Amino acid sequence: MIEIDFEDFVEEVKFQMTEYEELDETTILDWETKLRKWVKEHKEKKFFHVKSKDDIAVFLRDEDEMYELAEKFYRAYKNNKLDEYWKKLKWGR
């Protein structure tokens, strides 16, 4: 289990998303906006800890999990299943 700062987590997942040609900058930035909203709405989740508005820790099994999150988003985007992606979003512990 590793702990990473939320901002670093977001930037790394976005970077991983750039590997998929179908995911343009607008789509990736939209993911970021929705993730930030999702975190605010799901503060009780066990895979991150909101210490304060500007200090959020994310817990991951390993660094590869950020790649997996990008891949899951890509598959959901490609298959037009983004609603399901956001409903089932989870990672880490």
Side-chain angles (χ1 to χ4, degrees):
M1 184 74 55
I2 62 172
E3 181 178 332
I4 185 172
D5 178 73
F6 180 73
E7 297 304 325
D8 293 337
F9 167 77
V10 169
E11 290 305 313
E12 181 60 29
V13 175
K14 285 172 34 183
F15 174 75
Q16 295 296 330
M17 288 179 179
T18 64
E19 298 296 316
Y20 301 99
E21 291 182 13
E22 292 179 32
L23 298 179
D24 61 17
E25 183 178 0
T26 302
T27 302
I28 293 170
L29 292 175
D30 185 55
W31 171 85
E32 178 181 4
T33 300
K34 288 180 180 176
L35 178 69
R36 291 179 185 282
K37 180 182 177 194
W38 187 90
V39 167
K40 287 179 185 177
E41 294 172 353
H42 296 86
K43 291 181 181 178
E44 76 287 351
K45 296 294 184 188
K46 295 179 182 177
F47 32 91
F48 62 90
H49 175 67
V50 179
K51 299 174 185 177
S52 70
K53 179 183 174 188
D54 298 322
D55 190 8
I56 301 171
V58 175
F59 304 104
L60 303 167
R61 287 185 312 271
D62 56 42
E63 289 188 10
D64 289 340
E65 199 164 12
M66 290 181 279
Y67 166 77
E68 292 167 10
L69 284 166
E71 183 180 32
K72 285 179 185 177
F73 179 78
Y74 169 70
R75 280 188 269 136
Y77 177 81
K78 184 177 175 182
N79 295 311
N80 199 24
K81 294 185 176 185
L82 289 176
D83 287 340
E84 186 176 327
Y85 170 86
W86 291 109
K87 287 179 187 175
K88 294 182 177 183
L89 182 62
K90 65 180 180 176
W91 62 82
R93 55 180 174 171

